[in-house]
Amino acid sequence: MYKFRFFLFIVCLGARCIADVPAGADRICGKWLSGEKNLMVEVYKADNQFKAKIIWYKDDPKYAMDEWRDKHNPDPKLRSRKILGMDVLHGLVYDAHNDTWEHGIIYDAQHGKEWDAWCCIDKEGLLKVKGYWCFKFIGRTMTFRRVNP
């Protein structure tokens, strides 16, 4: 009887661990910290697409995070919006065949520019986000590590 209870406990524990990691497209959702440890984003799903917003960043220690504005935005009406909480990635759609998220747009608040975007999660569980212009080989890749809730 005790062996059966122990077996049942292990099975339930294993099911709990598996349930913590979303399968398929939704596994991109969650909080991610950049490799440089200066930016944290939260990826979420809305209207059948994936988006990411800035939830923390490290910048000039003289100013509070909440004070930084989107001052480089080409649209003067948007230059007063806060960087913290701003969506910086939108339009990503999961491609099950390639196990990637495609057709996104990423916004670079430091320069006020938008780029095409593509994402994948590699074998080590790292999120690779590539901003590029026209061709995927012309761009920059940022690496993020999942942050435990």
Side-chain angles (χ1 to χ4, degrees):
M1 183 67 169
Y2 291 109
K3 288 181 181 179
F4 177 73
R5 286 184 185 166
F6 180 73
F7 174 74
L8 188 59
F9 172 75
I10 296 299
V11 168
C12 290
L13 183 62
R16 167 89 169 103
C17 291
I18 291 169
D20 287 346
V21 178
D26 291 346
R27 75 182 188 282
I28 195 173
C29 294
K31 295 177 183 174
W32 298 87
L33 180 65
S34 69
E36 295 83 18
K37 295 184 171 80
N38 63 354
L39 174 66
M40 188 181 301
V41 297
E42 182 172 7
V43 179
Y44 63 98
K45 189 175 184 178
D47 301 325
N48 292 323
Q49 64 172 301
F50 294 90
K51 300 179 178 188
K53 64 182 173 182
I54 295 176
I55 59 172
W56 177 86
Y57 62 93
K58 183 178 179 181
D59 209 351
D60 190 337
K62 295 185 289 186
Y63 301 100
M65 241 189 322
D66 200 33
E67 293 178 21
W68 286 97
R69 306 292 172 166
D70 190 14
K71 63 184 178 183
H72 299 292
N73 196 301
D75 183 347
K77 291 180 263 175
L78 297 177
R79 291 180 186 157
S80 63
R81 71 179 172 168
K82 293 180 181 182
I83 299 288
L84 190 63
M86 180 174 63
D87 279 332
V88 290
L89 183 61
H90 65 89
L92 284 173
V93 179
Y94 183 64
D95 178 353
H97 179 70
N98 293 316
D99 195 26
T100 58
W101 291 262
E102 306 274 346
H103 310 297
I105 301 294
I106 191 165
Y107 177 67
D108 173 7
Q110 290 182 329
H111 301 100
K113 297 193 185 277
E114 288 186 333
W115 307 94
D116 293 324
W118 166 92
C119 302
C120 72
I121 297 176
D122 69 12
K123 291 177 184 175
E124 288 82 37
L126 300 175
L127 175 65
K128 304 286 185 167
V129 180
K130 182 166 211 152
Y132 62 94
W133 180 71
C134 294
F135 305 101
K136 289 181 186 170
F137 63 87
I138 302 175
R140 180 176 160 228
T141 302
M142 291 181 69
T143 302
F144 292 83
R145 182 172 304 281
R146 188 179 295 276
V147 177
N148 292 332

